[in-house]
Amino acid sequence: MSVYDLKSDELWRYEEPMSEMKWTVIEDSTKNILGFECIMAQTKYHGRIWKAWFSPEIPVHDGPWKLHGLPGMILSADGGDGFIIEAKEIGYTKQAIPSVYSVKDYTKGERKQILADHEHYENNFESMMAAQGIKMNADGTPANLPKYDRQRQAWETDY
């Protein structure tokens, strides 16, 4: 899987194996999303436990973000700490979907290093700006940004 992302104010890309996630389907837990009966499944992925609701009525084995591998489209996913993704609309179009990413614009790197560098950037942003003579508040006082908390702010916490 090729991942393209903005981290530390720079465009990065990395490759990671698209191995199947090991899901546990919880048959007796269902939810209706956009008129589709969905079944809950759970997996641990890159440091978070994800609960996902998928619909076998939509025969696509994908979902939002990097989530995939269930016998139906994932319409909702919850990774805890406010990491919730939910479909708001489902439609069909014959229109071709244009390319979003231009590989040449993204620097290739390794996932864990990119995520660690981004955390360092977030934790030291104020001092990096101050070193360039940029004041964070209009009155010139320090902004006192809170420390970046990987567990509460990062999609992936296993780096």
mmCIF file of all heavy atoms in Angstrom, residues 20 30 35 45 54 65 71 79 102 111 114 132 143:
data_model
loop_
_atom_site.group_PDB
_atom_site.id
_atom_site.type_symbol
_atom_site.label_atom_id
_atom_site.label_comp_id
_atom_site.label_asym_id
_atom_site.label_seq_id
_atom_site.Cartn_x
_atom_site.Cartn_y
_atom_site.Cartn_z
ATOM 1 N N GLU A 20 -3.516 -8.747 5.130
ATOM 2 C CA GLU A 20 -4.883 -8.696 5.638
ATOM 3 C C GLU A 20 -4.873 -8.426 7.135
ATOM 4 O O GLU A 20 -4.075 -8.991 7.873
ATOM 5 C CB GLU A 20 -5.603 -10.014 5.353
ATOM 6 C CG GLU A 20 -5.937 -10.212 3.901
ATOM 7 C CD GLU A 20 -6.789 -9.095 3.315
ATOM 8 O OE1 GLU A 20 -7.796 -8.709 3.916
ATOM 9 O OE2 GLU A 20 -6.436 -8.614 2.229
ATOM 10 N N THR A 30 -24.878 -5.207 15.683
ATOM 11 C CA THR A 30 -25.195 -4.622 14.380
ATOM 12 C C THR A 30 -25.618 -3.166 14.543
ATOM 13 O O THR A 30 -25.955 -2.717 15.638
ATOM 14 C CB THR A 30 -26.315 -5.403 13.667
ATOM 15 O OG1 THR A 30 -27.496 -5.335 14.466
ATOM 16 C CG2 THR A 30 -25.921 -6.850 13.430
ATOM 17 N N GLY A 35 -29.020 3.174 5.791
ATOM 18 C CA GLY A 35 -29.953 2.173 5.284
ATOM 19 C C GLY A 35 -29.343 0.799 5.070
ATOM 20 O O GLY A 35 -30.020 -0.120 4.604
ATOM 21 N N TYR A 45 -4.606 -2.473 15.069
ATOM 22 C CA TYR A 45 -3.826 -2.028 13.916
ATOM 23 C C TYR A 45 -2.987 -0.815 14.293
ATOM 24 O O TYR A 45 -3.528 0.209 14.716
ATOM 25 C CB TYR A 45 -4.757 -1.697 12.742
ATOM 26 C CG TYR A 45 -4.039 -1.312 11.482
ATOM 27 C CD1 TYR A 45 -3.282 -2.247 10.785
ATOM 28 C CD2 TYR A 45 -4.106 -0.027 11.000
ATOM 29 C CE1 TYR A 45 -2.612 -1.898 9.627
ATOM 30 C CE2 TYR A 45 -3.442 0.330 9.829
ATOM 31 C CZ TYR A 45 -2.692 -0.612 9.151
ATOM 32 O OH TYR A 45 -2.024 -0.264 8.011
ATOM 33 N N PHE A 54 -19.311 -2.979 9.021
ATOM 34 C CA PHE A 54 -19.251 -3.223 7.579
ATOM 35 C C PHE A 54 -20.572 -3.798 7.093
ATOM 36 O O PHE A 54 -21.306 -4.445 7.831
ATOM 37 C CB PHE A 54 -18.088 -4.171 7.236
ATOM 38 C CG PHE A 54 -18.286 -5.573 7.723
ATOM 39 C CD1 PHE A 54 -18.796 -6.557 6.865
ATOM 40 C CD2 PHE A 54 -17.969 -5.937 9.020
ATOM 41 C CE1 PHE A 54 -18.984 -7.860 7.310
ATOM 42 C CE2 PHE A 54 -18.149 -7.240 9.466
ATOM 43 C CZ PHE A 54 -18.656 -8.205 8.604
ATOM 44 N N TRP A 65 -9.608 5.268 5.253
ATOM 45 C CA TRP A 65 -8.216 5.326 5.677
ATOM 46 C C TRP A 65 -7.501 4.067 5.201
ATOM 47 O O TRP A 65 -7.496 3.787 4.012
ATOM 48 C CB TRP A 65 -8.156 5.542 7.199
ATOM 49 C CG TRP A 65 -6.795 5.762 7.753
ATOM 50 C CD1 TRP A 65 -5.873 6.681 7.331
ATOM 51 C CD2 TRP A 65 -6.186 5.044 8.817
ATOM 52 N NE1 TRP A 65 -4.733 6.575 8.091
ATOM 53 C CE2 TRP A 65 -4.895 5.576 9.010
ATOM 54 C CE3 TRP A 65 -6.610 3.996 9.634
ATOM 55 C CZ2 TRP A 65 -4.035 5.119 9.984
ATOM 56 C CZ3 TRP A 65 -5.750 3.548 10.607
ATOM 57 C CH2 TRP A 65 -4.477 4.104 10.777
ATOM 58 N N PRO A 71 -15.615 -8.786 4.717
ATOM 59 C CA PRO A 71 -16.479 -9.210 3.613
ATOM 60 C C PRO A 71 -17.612 -8.226 3.328
ATOM 61 O O PRO A 71 -18.785 -8.582 3.329
ATOM 62 C CB PRO A 71 -17.010 -10.570 4.082
ATOM 63 C CG PRO A 71 -17.010 -10.463 5.568
ATOM 64 C CD PRO A 71 -15.825 -9.597 5.919
ATOM 65 N N GLY A 79 -11.619 4.187 16.422
ATOM 66 C CA GLY A 79 -10.330 3.785 16.978
ATOM 67 C C GLY A 79 -10.131 4.278 18.400
ATOM 68 O O GLY A 79 -9.042 4.172 18.944
ATOM 69 N N SER A 102 0.769 13.300 -6.905
ATOM 70 C CA SER A 102 1.856 13.250 -7.872
ATOM 71 C C SER A 102 3.078 12.763 -7.108
ATOM 72 O O SER A 102 3.590 13.479 -6.237
ATOM 73 C CB SER A 102 2.103 14.641 -8.463
ATOM 74 O OG SER A 102 3.235 14.589 -9.303
ATOM 75 N N ARG A 111 7.658 4.591 7.382
ATOM 76 C CA ARG A 111 6.489 4.962 8.180
ATOM 77 C C ARG A 111 6.838 5.371 9.609
ATOM 78 O O ARG A 111 6.491 6.479 10.051
ATOM 79 C CB ARG A 111 5.488 3.804 8.212
ATOM 80 C CG ARG A 111 4.212 4.122 8.992
ATOM 81 C CD ARG A 111 3.280 2.920 9.058
ATOM 82 N NE ARG A 111 3.741 1.921 9.975
ATOM 83 C CZ ARG A 111 3.478 1.920 11.296
ATOM 84 N NH1 ARG A 111 2.764 2.873 11.834
ATOM 85 N NH2 ARG A 111 3.926 0.963 12.072
ATOM 86 N N ILE A 114 8.861 8.637 9.813
ATOM 87 C CA ILE A 114 8.054 9.804 9.457
ATOM 88 C C ILE A 114 7.138 10.187 10.620
ATOM 89 O O ILE A 114 7.027 11.361 10.980
ATOM 90 C CB ILE A 114 7.233 9.538 8.171
ATOM 91 C CG1 ILE A 114 8.175 9.424 6.971
ATOM 92 C CG2 ILE A 114 6.181 10.618 7.953
ATOM 93 C CD1 ILE A 114 7.507 8.887 5.719
ATOM 94 N N GLN A 132 13.393 31.158 14.611
ATOM 95 C CA GLN A 132 13.343 31.902 13.356
ATOM 96 C C GLN A 132 12.844 33.331 13.575
ATOM 97 O O GLN A 132 12.623 34.073 12.623
ATOM 98 C CB GLN A 132 12.423 31.187 12.360
ATOM 99 C CG GLN A 132 12.922 29.810 11.962
ATOM 100 C CD GLN A 132 11.927 29.109 11.052
ATOM 101 O OE1 GLN A 132 11.323 29.736 10.190
ATOM 102 N NE2 GLN A 132 11.752 27.820 11.243
ATOM 103 N N ALA A 143 3.409 30.810 23.114
ATOM 104 C CA ALA A 143 2.089 30.199 22.950
ATOM 105 C C ALA A 143 1.852 29.072 23.944
ATOM 106 O O ALA A 143 0.723 28.708 24.216
ATOM 107 C CB ALA A 143 1.939 29.657 21.534
#
